[in-house]
Coordinates of all heavy atoms in Angstrom, one line a residue:
M114 N -15.2 32.9 -3.2 CA -16.0 31.7 -3.3 C -17.2 32.1 -4.3 O -17.6 31.3 -5.1 CB -16.4 31.2 -2.0 CG -17.2 30.0 -2.0 SD -16.2 28.5 -2.3 CE -17.4 27.2 -2.4
A115 N -17.7 33.3 -4.0 CA -19.0 33.7 -4.8 C -18.8 33.6 -6.3 O -19.8 33.2 -7.0 CB -19.4 35.0 -4.3
S116 N -17.6 33.9 -6.8 CA -17.6 33.9 -8.3 C -16.9 32.6 -8.8 O -16.8 32.5 -9.9 CB -16.5 35.0 -8.6 OG -15.2 34.7 -8.0
D117 N -16.6 31.7 -7.9 CA -16.1 30.4 -8.4 C -17.2 29.5 -9.0 O -18.4 29.7 -8.6 CB -15.5 29.5 -7.2 CG -14.3 30.2 -6.7 OD1 -13.7 30.9 -7.4 OD2 -13.9 29.8 -5.6
H118 N -16.9 28.7 -9.8 CA -18.0 27.8 -10.5 C -17.5 26.4 -10.3 O -16.3 26.1 -10.5 CB -18.1 28.0 -12.0 CG -18.9 26.9 -12.7 ND1 -20.2 27.0 -12.7 CD2 -18.5 25.7 -13.3 CE1 -20.6 25.8 -13.3 NE2 -19.7 25.2 -13.6
F119 N -18.3 25.5 -9.9 CA -18.0 24.0 -9.6 C -19.0 23.2 -10.3 O -20.3 23.5 -10.2 CB -17.9 23.8 -8.2 CG -16.8 24.5 -7.5 CD1 -17.1 25.5 -6.7 CD2 -15.5 24.0 -7.6 CE1 -16.0 26.3 -6.0 CE2 -14.5 24.7 -7.0 CZ -14.7 25.8 -6.3
D120 N -18.7 22.1 -10.9 CA -19.6 21.2 -11.4 C -20.5 20.5 -10.4 O -21.6 20.2 -10.6 CB -18.9 20.2 -12.3 CG -18.3 20.8 -13.5 OD1 -18.9 21.6 -14.2 OD2 -17.0 20.6 -13.7
Y121 N -19.8 20.1 -9.3 CA -20.5 19.5 -8.2 C -20.1 20.4 -6.9 O -19.1 20.6 -6.6 CB -20.0 18.1 -7.9 CG -20.0 17.1 -9.0 CD1 -19.1 16.9 -10.0 CD2 -21.2 16.4 -9.2 CE1 -19.1 16.0 -11.0 CE2 -21.2 15.4 -10.3 CZ -20.3 15.3 -11.2 OH -20.3 14.3 -12.2
L122 N -21.3 20.7 -6.2 CA -21.2 21.4 -4.9 C -21.7 20.6 -3.8 O -23.0 20.3 -3.9 CB -21.8 22.8 -5.0 CG -21.8 23.6 -3.7 CD1 -20.2 23.9 -3.3 CD2 -22.6 24.9 -3.9
I123 N -21.0 20.1 -2.9 CA -21.4 19.3 -1.8 C -21.5 20.1 -0.5 O -20.5 20.8 -0.2 CB -20.4 18.0 -1.7 CG1 -20.5 17.2 -2.9 CG2 -20.9 17.3 -0.4 CD1 -19.3 16.2 -3.0
I124 N -22.6 20.2 0.1 CA -22.8 20.8 1.4 C -22.6 20.0 2.5 O -23.3 18.9 2.6 CB -24.2 21.6 1.5 CG1 -24.6 22.3 0.2 CG2 -24.2 22.4 2.6 CD1 -23.6 23.5 -0.1
G125 N -21.6 20.2 3.4 CA -21.3 19.3 4.5 C -20.0 18.6 4.2 O -19.5 18.5 3.1
N126 N -19.3 18.2 5.4 CA -18.0 17.6 5.3 C -18.0 16.3 6.2 O -17.0 16.1 6.8 CB -17.1 18.7 5.9 CG -15.7 18.2 6.1 OD1 -15.2 17.4 5.2 ND2 -15.1 18.4 7.2
S127 N -19.2 15.6 6.1 CA -19.2 14.5 7.1 C -19.4 13.2 6.2 O -19.0 13.1 5.1 CB -20.3 14.6 8.1 OG -20.2 13.8 9.1
T128 N -20.0 12.1 6.8 CA -20.1 10.9 6.2 C -20.7 10.9 4.8 O -20.1 10.4 3.9 CB -20.9 9.9 7.2 OG1 -20.3 10.0 8.4 CG2 -20.9 8.5 6.5
A129 N -21.8 11.6 4.8 CA -22.5 11.7 3.4 C -21.7 12.4 2.4 O -21.6 12.0 1.2 CB -23.8 12.4 3.6
A130 N -20.9 13.4 2.8 CA -20.0 14.2 1.9 C -18.9 13.3 1.4 O -18.6 13.4 0.1 CB -19.5 15.5 2.6
I131 N -18.2 12.7 2.3 CA -17.1 11.8 2.0 C -17.6 10.7 1.0 O -16.9 10.5 0.0 CB -16.5 11.1 3.2 CG1 -15.9 12.2 4.1 CG2 -15.4 10.1 2.8 CD1 -14.8 13.0 3.6
G132 N -18.8 10.2 1.3 CA -19.3 9.1 0.3 C -19.6 9.7 -1.1 O -19.3 9.2 -2.1
A133 N -20.1 11.0 -1.1 CA -20.5 11.7 -2.3 C -19.1 12.0 -3.1 O -19.1 11.7 -4.3 CB -21.1 13.0 -2.0
V134 N -18.0 12.4 -2.4 CA -16.8 12.7 -3.1 C -16.2 11.5 -3.7 O -15.9 11.3 -4.9 CB -15.8 13.3 -2.1 CG1 -14.4 13.3 -2.7 CG2 -16.2 14.8 -1.8
E135 N -16.2 10.4 -2.8 CA -15.6 9.1 -3.4 C -16.5 8.5 -4.5 O -15.9 8.0 -5.4 CB -15.5 8.1 -2.3 CG -14.4 8.6 -1.2 CD -14.1 7.8 -0.1 OE1 -15.0 6.9 0.2 OE2 -13.0 7.9 0.6
G136 N -17.8 8.6 -4.4 CA -18.7 8.2 -5.5 C -18.5 8.9 -6.8 O -18.4 8.3 -7.9
I137 N -18.5 10.3 -6.7 CA -18.2 11.1 -7.9 C -16.9 10.7 -8.4 O -16.7 10.5 -9.7 CB -18.3 12.6 -7.5 CG1 -19.7 12.9 -7.2 CG2 -17.7 13.4 -8.7 CD1 -19.8 14.4 -6.5
R138 N -15.9 10.7 -7.6 CA -14.5 10.5 -8.2 C -14.3 9.1 -8.8 O -13.5 8.9 -9.6 CB -13.4 10.7 -7.2 CG -13.2 12.3 -6.9 CD -12.8 12.9 -8.2 NE -12.5 14.4 -8.1 CZ -13.1 15.3 -9.0 NH1 -13.8 14.9 -9.9 NH2 -12.7 16.5 -8.9
S139 N -15.2 8.2 -8.4 CA -15.1 6.8 -8.9 C -15.5 6.8 -10.4 O -15.2 5.8 -11.1 CB -15.9 5.8 -8.1 OG -17.2 6.0 -8.2
I140 N -16.3 7.7 -10.8 CA -16.8 7.7 -12.2 C -16.5 8.9 -12.9 O -16.6 9.0 -14.2 CB -18.4 7.5 -12.2 CG1 -19.0 8.7 -11.4 CG2 -18.7 6.1 -11.7 CD1 -20.6 8.6 -11.6
D141 N -16.0 10.0 -12.2 CA -15.7 11.3 -12.9 C -14.5 12.0 -12.2 O -14.7 12.5 -11.1 CB -16.9 12.1 -12.7 CG -16.8 13.5 -13.5 OD1 -15.7 13.8 -14.0 OD2 -17.8 14.2 -13.6
T142 N -13.4 11.9 -12.9 CA -12.2 12.5 -12.3 C -11.9 13.9 -13.0 O -10.9 14.5 -12.6 CB -10.9 11.6 -12.5 OG1 -10.8 11.3 -13.9 CG2 -11.0 10.3 -11.7
A143 N -12.7 14.1 -14.0 CA -12.4 15.4 -14.7 C -13.1 16.6 -14.2 O -12.6 17.7 -14.1 CB -12.9 15.2 -16.2
R144 N -14.4 16.5 -13.8 CA -15.2 17.8 -13.4 C -14.7 18.2 -12.1 O -14.3 17.4 -11.2 CB -16.6 17.5 -13.7 CG -17.0 17.7 -15.1 CD -18.4 17.4 -15.4 NE -18.7 15.9 -15.5 CZ -19.8 15.4 -15.9 NH1 -20.8 16.3 -16.2 NH2 -19.9 14.2 -16.1
S145 N -15.0 19.5 -11.9 CA -14.6 20.1 -10.5 C -15.7 19.9 -9.4 O -16.8 19.7 -9.7 CB -14.5 21.6 -10.8 OG -15.8 22.3 -11.2
V146 N -15.2 19.7 -8.2 CA -15.9 19.3 -7.0 C -15.6 20.3 -6.0 O -14.3 20.5 -5.7 CB -15.7 17.9 -6.6 CG1 -16.5 17.6 -5.4 CG2 -16.0 16.9 -7.7
A147 N -16.6 20.9 -5.3 CA -16.3 21.6 -4.0 C -17.0 21.2 -2.9 O -18.2 20.6 -3.1 CB -16.6 23.1 -4.4
V148 N -16.5 21.2 -1.7 CA -17.1 20.9 -0.4 C -17.2 22.2 0.3 O -16.1 22.8 0.6 CB -16.4 19.7 0.3 CG1 -16.9 19.7 1.7 CG2 -16.6 18.4 -0.4
V149 N -18.3 22.5 0.8 CA -18.4 23.6 1.9 C -19.1 23.1 3.1 O -20.0 22.4 2.9 CB -19.1 24.9 1.2 CG1 -18.4 25.4 0.0 CG2 -20.5 24.5 0.9
A150 N -18.6 23.5 4.3 CA -19.2 23.0 5.4 C -19.1 24.1 6.6 O -18.2 24.9 6.6 CB -18.5 21.8 5.9
L151 N -20.2 24.0 7.4 CA -20.2 24.9 8.5 C -19.1 24.8 9.5 O -18.5 25.7 10.0 CB -21.5 24.7 9.2 CG -22.2 25.8 10.0 CD1 -22.4 27.0 9.2 CD2 -23.6 25.2 10.4
E152 N -18.8 23.4 9.8 CA -17.8 23.1 10.8 C -16.4 23.5 10.2 O -16.2 23.3 9.0 CB -17.9 21.6 11.2 CG -19.1 21.3 12.0 CD -19.1 19.8 12.3 OE1 -19.6 19.0 11.5 OE2 -18.5 19.4 13.4
T153 N -15.5 23.7 11.2 CA -14.1 24.1 10.8 C -13.3 22.9 10.7 O -12.2 22.9 10.1 CB -13.5 25.2 11.7 OG1 -13.6 24.8 13.0 CG2 -14.3 26.5 11.5
E154 N -13.6 21.8 11.4 CA -12.9 20.6 11.4 C -12.9 19.8 10.2 O -14.0 19.6 9.6 CB -13.3 19.7 12.5 CG -13.1 20.3 14.0 CD -11.6 20.3 14.3 OE1 -10.9 19.4 14.0 OE2 -11.2 21.4 14.7
H155 N -11.8 19.2 9.8 CA -11.7 18.3 8.8 C -12.6 17.0 9.2 O -12.9 16.9 10.5 CB -10.3 17.7 8.6 CG -10.1 17.1 7.3 ND1 -10.7 15.7 7.0 CD2 -9.4 17.3 6.2 CE1 -10.3 15.4 5.9 NE2 -9.6 16.3 5.2
T156 N -13.0 16.2 8.2 CA -13.9 15.1 8.6 C -13.5 14.2 9.8 O -12.4 13.9 9.8 CB -14.4 14.3 7.3 OG1 -15.5 13.5 7.6 CG2 -13.3 13.4 7.0
Y157 N -14.5 13.9 10.6 CA -14.2 13.0 11.7 C -15.4 12.2 12.0 O -16.6 12.5 11.5 CB -13.9 13.9 13.0 CG -15.0 14.7 13.3 CD1 -16.0 14.3 14.4 CD2 -15.1 16.0 12.9 CE1 -17.0 15.2 14.7 CE2 -16.2 16.8 13.2 CZ -17.2 16.4 14.2 OH -18.2 17.2 14.5
S158 N -15.1 11.0 12.7 CA -16.3 10.2 13.0 C -17.1 10.7 14.1 O -16.6 10.7 15.4 CB -15.8 8.7 13.3 OG -16.8 7.9 13.9
K159 N -18.3 11.0 13.9 CA -19.3 11.5 15.0 C -19.5 10.3 16.0 O -19.6 10.6 17.2 CB -20.5 12.0 14.4 CG -20.3 13.3 13.8 CD -21.6 14.1 13.4 CE -21.4 15.5 13.1 NZ -20.7 15.6 11.9
P160 N -19.8 9.0 15.6 CA -19.9 8.0 16.6 C -18.7 7.8 17.5 O -18.9 7.2 18.6 CB -20.1 6.8 15.7 CG -20.7 7.3 14.5 CD -20.0 8.6 14.2
L161 N -17.6 8.3 17.1 CA -16.4 8.2 18.0 C -16.2 9.3 19.0 O -15.2 9.4 19.7 CB -15.1 7.9 17.3 CG -15.0 6.5 16.6 CD1 -13.6 6.4 15.7 CD2 -15.2 5.4 17.6
I162 N -17.1 10.4 18.9 CA -16.9 11.5 19.8 C -16.9 11.2 21.3 O -15.8 11.6 22.0 CB -18.0 12.5 19.5 CG1 -18.0 13.2 18.1 CG2 -18.1 13.6 20.6 CD1 -19.2 14.0 17.8
T163 N -17.7 10.3 21.7 CA -17.7 10.0 23.1 C -16.4 9.2 23.5 O -15.9 9.4 24.5 CB -19.0 9.2 23.4 OG1 -19.1 8.0 22.7 CG2 -20.2 10.1 23.4
Y164 N -16.0 8.4 22.6 CA -14.8 7.6 22.9 C -13.5 8.6 22.8 O -12.6 8.4 23.7 CB -14.5 6.5 21.8 CG -15.6 5.5 21.8 CD1 -16.8 5.6 21.1 CD2 -15.4 4.3 22.7 CE1 -17.8 4.7 21.2 CE2 -16.4 3.3 22.6 CZ -17.6 3.6 21.9 OH -18.6 2.6 22.0
Y165 N -13.6 9.6 22.0 CA -12.5 10.5 21.9 C -12.4 11.4 23.2 O -11.5 11.6 23.8 CB -12.7 11.5 20.7 CG -11.7 12.6 20.6 CD1 -10.3 12.3 20.3 CD2 -12.1 13.8 20.9 CE1 -9.5 13.4 20.2 CE2 -11.2 14.9 20.8 CZ -9.8 14.6 20.5 OH -8.9 15.7 20.3
L166 N -13.7 11.8 23.7 CA -13.7 12.6 24.9 C -13.3 11.8 26.1 O -12.8 12.3 27.1 CB -15.1 13.2 25.2 CG -15.6 14.2 24.1 CD1 -17.1 14.6 24.3 CD2 -14.8 15.5 24.2
A167 N -13.6 10.5 26.0 CA -13.2 9.6 27.2 C -11.7 9.2 27.1 O -11.2 8.4 28.0 CB -14.0 8.4 27.1
G168 N -11.1 9.6 26.0 CA -9.7 9.3 25.8 C -9.4 7.8 25.4 O -8.2 7.3 25.5
K169 N -10.5 7.2 24.8 CA -10.3 5.8 24.3 C -9.8 5.8 22.9 O -9.3 4.8 22.4 CB -11.6 5.1 24.5 CG -11.9 4.9 26.0 CD -13.2 4.0 26.1 CE -13.7 3.8 27.6 NZ -14.8 3.1 27.8
V170 N -10.0 6.9 22.1 CA -9.4 6.9 20.9 C -8.7 8.3 20.7 O -9.1 9.2 21.4 CB -10.5 6.8 19.6 CG1 -11.2 5.5 19.7 CG2 -11.4 7.9 19.7
D171 N -7.7 8.2 20.0 CA -7.0 9.6 19.8 C -7.4 10.4 18.5 O -8.2 9.9 17.8 CB -5.4 9.3 19.9 CG -5.0 8.6 18.7 OD1 -5.6 8.3 17.6 OD2 -3.8 8.0 18.8
E172 N -6.8 11.5 18.3 CA -7.1 12.4 17.2 C -6.9 11.7 15.9 O -7.7 11.8 14.9 CB -6.4 13.7 17.2 CG -6.9 14.6 16.2 CD -6.5 16.0 16.5 OE1 -6.1 16.4 17.6 OE2 -6.5 16.9 15.4
H173 N -5.9 10.9 15.8 CA -5.5 10.1 14.5 C -6.7 9.2 14.3 O -7.1 9.0 13.1 CB -4.3 9.4 14.7 CG -4.0 8.6 13.5 ND1 -3.5 9.1 12.3 CD2 -4.0 7.1 13.4 CE1 -3.4 8.0 11.5 NE2 -3.6 7.0 12.1
N174 N -7.3 8.5 15.3 CA -8.2 7.5 15.0 C -9.7 8.0 14.6 O -10.4 7.3 14.0 CB -8.3 6.5 16.2 CG -7.1 5.7 16.3 OD1 -6.5 5.2 15.3 ND2 -6.6 5.4 17.5
I175 N -9.9 9.3 15.2 CA -11.3 9.8 15.0 C -11.5 10.4 13.5 O -12.5 10.4 13.1 CB -11.6 10.8 16.1 CG1 -13.1 11.1 16.2 CG2 -10.9 12.1 15.8 CD1 -13.6 11.9 17.3
R176 N -10.3 10.6 13.0 CA -10.3 11.1 11.6 C -10.2 9.9 10.6 O -9.2 9.3 10.6 CB -9.2 12.0 11.4 CG -9.3 13.3 12.4 CD -8.3 14.3 12.0 NE -8.4 15.4 13.0 CZ -9.3 16.3 13.1 NH1 -10.2 16.4 12.2 NH2 -9.3 17.2 14.1
Y177 N -11.3 9.6 9.9 CA -11.2 8.4 9.1 C -10.8 8.6 7.7 O -10.9 7.7 6.8 CB -12.6 7.7 9.2 CG -13.8 8.5 8.7 CD1 -14.2 8.5 7.5 CD2 -14.5 9.2 9.7 CE1 -15.3 9.4 7.1 CE2 -15.6 10.1 9.4 CZ -16.0 10.0 8.1 OH -17.0 10.9 7.7
R178 N -10.4 9.9 7.4 CA -9.7 10.1 6.1 C -8.5 11.0 6.4 O -8.6 11.9 7.3 CB -10.7 10.8 5.1 CG -11.8 10.0 4.6 CD -11.2 8.9 3.7 NE -12.3 8.1 3.2 CZ -13.0 7.1 3.8 NH1 -12.6 6.8 5.1 NH2 -13.9 6.3 3.2
P179 N -7.4 10.9 5.6 CA -6.2 11.7 5.9 C -6.4 13.2 5.6 O -7.4 13.5 4.8 CB -5.2 11.0 4.9 CG -6.0 10.3 3.9 CD -7.3 9.9 4.5
R180 N -5.6 14.0 6.2 CA -5.7 15.4 6.0 C -5.7 15.9 4.6 O -6.3 16.8 4.2 CB -4.5 16.1 6.8 CG -4.7 16.2 8.2 CD -5.3 17.4 8.6 NE -5.5 17.5 10.1 CZ -6.5 18.3 10.6 NH1 -7.1 19.2 9.9 NH2 -6.6 18.3 11.9
D181 N -4.9 15.1 3.8 CA -4.8 15.5 2.3 C -5.8 14.9 1.4 O -5.7 14.8 0.3 CB -3.4 15.2 1.8 CG -3.0 13.7 2.0 OD1 -3.8 13.0 2.4 OD2 -1.9 13.3 1.5
F182 N -6.9 14.3 2.1 CA -8.0 13.5 1.3 C -8.5 14.5 0.2 O -8.6 14.0 -1.0 CB -9.1 13.2 2.3 CG -10.3 12.6 1.5 CD1 -10.3 11.3 1.2 CD2 -11.5 13.4 1.4 CE1 -11.3 10.8 0.4 CE2 -12.6 12.9 0.8 CZ -12.5 11.5 0.3
Y183 N -8.9 15.7 0.5 CA -9.5 16.4 -0.5 C -8.5 16.9 -1.6 O -8.9 17.0 -2.8 CB -10.1 17.8 0.0 CG -11.4 17.4 0.9 CD1 -11.5 17.8 2.3 CD2 -12.4 16.8 0.3 CE1 -12.6 17.3 2.9 CE2 -13.6 16.4 1.0 CZ -13.6 16.8 2.3 OH -14.7 16.4 3.1
D184 N -7.3 17.1 -1.3 CA -6.2 17.4 -2.2 C -6.1 16.3 -3.2 O -6.0 16.4 -4.4 CB -4.9 17.7 -1.6 CG -4.9 19.1 -0.8 OD1 -5.7 19.9 -1.3 OD2 -4.0 19.3 0.0
K185 N -6.0 15.0 -2.6 CA -5.9 13.9 -3.5 C -7.0 13.6 -4.3 O -6.9 13.0 -5.4 CB -5.5 12.6 -2.5 CG -4.0 12.7 -2.1 CD -3.6 11.4 -1.3 CE -2.1 11.5 -1.1 NZ -1.7 10.3 -0.2
M186 N -8.2 14.0 -3.8 CA -9.4 13.8 -4.6 C -9.6 14.9 -5.6 O -10.6 14.9 -6.4 CB -10.5 13.7 -3.7 CG -10.6 12.3 -3.0 SD -11.1 11.0 -4.1 CE -11.1 9.6 -3.1
N187 N -8.7 15.9 -5.5 CA -8.8 17.1 -6.4 C -10.2 17.9 -6.1 O -10.9 18.1 -7.1 CB -8.7 16.7 -8.0 CG -8.5 18.0 -8.8 OD1 -8.1 19.0 -8.3 ND2 -8.9 17.9 -10.1
V188 N -10.4 18.1 -4.9 CA -11.6 18.7 -4.5 C -11.2 20.1 -3.7 O -10.3 20.0 -2.9 CB -12.4 17.8 -3.5 CG1 -13.5 18.6 -2.8 CG2 -13.0 16.6 -4.2
T189 N -11.9 21.1 -4.0 CA -11.8 22.3 -3.3 C -12.7 22.2 -2.1 O -13.8 22.0 -2.1 CB -12.3 23.5 -4.2 OG1 -11.5 23.6 -5.4 CG2 -12.2 24.8 -3.4
C190 N -12.0 22.5 -1.0 CA -12.8 22.4 0.3 C -12.6 23.7 1.1 O -11.6 24.3 1.3 CB -12.0 21.3 1.1 SG -12.8 21.1 2.7
R191 N -13.9 24.2 1.5 CA -14.0 25.4 2.2 C -14.7 25.2 3.5 O -16.0 24.8 3.5 CB -14.7 26.5 1.4 CG -14.1 26.8 0.2 CD -13.1 28.0 0.3 NE -12.6 28.5 -1.0 CZ -11.6 27.9 -1.7 NH1 -11.0 26.9 -1.3 NH2 -11.4 28.4 -2.9
L192 N -14.0 25.1 4.6 CA -14.6 24.8 5.9 C -14.9 26.1 6.6 O -14.2 27.1 6.4 CB -13.7 24.0 6.7 CG -13.2 22.6 6.1 CD1 -12.4 21.8 7.0 CD2 -14.5 21.7 5.7
G193 N -15.7 26.1 7.6 CA -16.1 27.2 8.4 C -17.0 28.2 7.6 O -16.9 29.4 7.9
I194 N -17.7 27.8 6.7 CA -18.5 28.7 5.8 C -20.0 28.7 6.3 O -20.5 27.6 6.3 CB -18.5 28.5 4.3 CG1 -17.0 28.8 3.9 CG2 -19.4 29.2 3.5 CD1 -16.8 28.6 2.4
Ligands
FAD274 C1 -22.2 11.0 19.5 C2 -22.7 10.4 18.2 C3 -22.7 8.9 18.1 C4 -23.3 8.3 17.1 N1 -23.2 7.0 16.9 C5 -23.6 6.3 15.8 C6 -23.5 4.9 15.7 O1 -23.2 4.3 16.5 N2 -24.1 4.4 14.5 C7 -24.6 5.1 13.5 O2 -25.0 4.6 12.4 N3 -24.7 6.5 13.6 C8 -24.3 7.1 14.7 N4 -24.2 8.4 14.8 C9 -25.0 9.2 13.7 C10 -24.1 9.4 12.6 O3 -22.8 10.1 13.1 C11 -24.8 10.2 11.5 O4 -25.9 9.5 11.1 C12 -23.9 10.6 10.4 O5 -22.8 11.5 10.9 C13 -24.7 11.4 9.5 O6 -23.8 11.9 8.5 P1 -24.2 13.1 7.5 O7 -23.0 13.3 6.6 O8 -25.4 12.7 6.8 O9 -24.5 14.3 8.4 P2 -23.6 15.0 9.6 O10 -22.5 14.0 10.1 O11 -24.5 15.5 10.6 O12 -22.8 16.2 8.7 C14 -23.4 17.3 8.4 C15 -22.4 18.2 7.7 O13 -23.1 19.3 7.2 C16 -22.5 20.5 7.7 N5 -23.6 21.5 7.7 C17 -24.6 21.5 8.5 N6 -25.4 22.5 8.2 C18 -24.8 23.4 7.2 C19 -25.0 24.6 6.6 N7 -26.1 25.3 6.9 N8 -24.0 25.0 5.8 C20 -22.9 24.4 5.6 N9 -22.7 23.1 6.2 C21 -23.5 22.7 7.0 C22 -21.8 20.1 8.9 O14 -20.8 21.1 9.3 C23 -21.3 18.7 8.7 O15 -20.1 18.8 8.1 C24 -23.8 9.1 15.9 C25 -23.8 10.6 16.1 C26 -23.3 11.0 17.2 C27 -23.3 12.6 17.2

């Protein structure tokens, strides 16, 4: 990772990051984008955590973007960093 170069580097893998990725890709599909985040989990809805723990939503519903979101957006994603 240290030797990689990216045009856009987004820190975090949550709501703000998803918005940034989608915003960038809406106007720029050419340049490179990377997401790095402390958490190891793919993006999930924090407001739904309590509902998930209570069994009111399942794992599919708490994740508001598909697993292949970053691939489809042509984004390099490094989680757990
Ligand atoms: C239980 C719960 C219920 C909530 N309910 C609501 C609600 O009903 N309505 C509402 O509007 N909001 C609610 N919120 C707040 C909402 O979830 C946050 O406002 C929103 O998640 C903020 O998004 P964010 O992307 O800015 O930051 P976060 O969601 O906090 O994401 C931060 C990201 O940065 C990463 N990160 C942090 N530090 C580092 C680091 N040093 N290096 C690398 N990566 C790092 C984390 O891993 C994470 O991916 C709730 C939050 C919780 C926890």
Side-chain angles (χ1 to χ4, degrees):
M114 183 78 184
S116 62
D117 289 342
H118 169 86
F119 296 99
D120 297 305
Y121 301 95
L122 178 61
I123 299 167
I124 312 295
N126 174 42
S127 194
T128 306
I131 296 297
V134 166
E135 291 178 342
I137 290 167
R138 284 298 180 234
S139 72
I140 59 169
D141 184 354
T142 56
R144 279 178 277 190
S145 59
V146 180
V148 166
V149 298
L151 206 53
E152 288 180 274
T153 55
E154 288 295 314
H155 196 293
T156 194
Y157 61 92
S158 168
K159 288 191 169 68
L161 288 182
I162 289 173
T163 51
Y164 295 88
Y165 177 71
L166 292 174
K169 292 183 177 175
V170 301
D171 61 18
E172 187 167 340
H173 174 74
N174 289 324
I175 199 170
R176 300 186 186 282
Y177 56 92
R178 291 294 181 278
R180 283 267 177 201
D181 61 356
F182 173 76
Y183 289 121
D184 289 339
K185 285 191 170 167
M186 287 286 175
N187 193 23
V188 169
T189 299
C190 182
R191 300 275 188 271
L192 302 179
I194 291 180

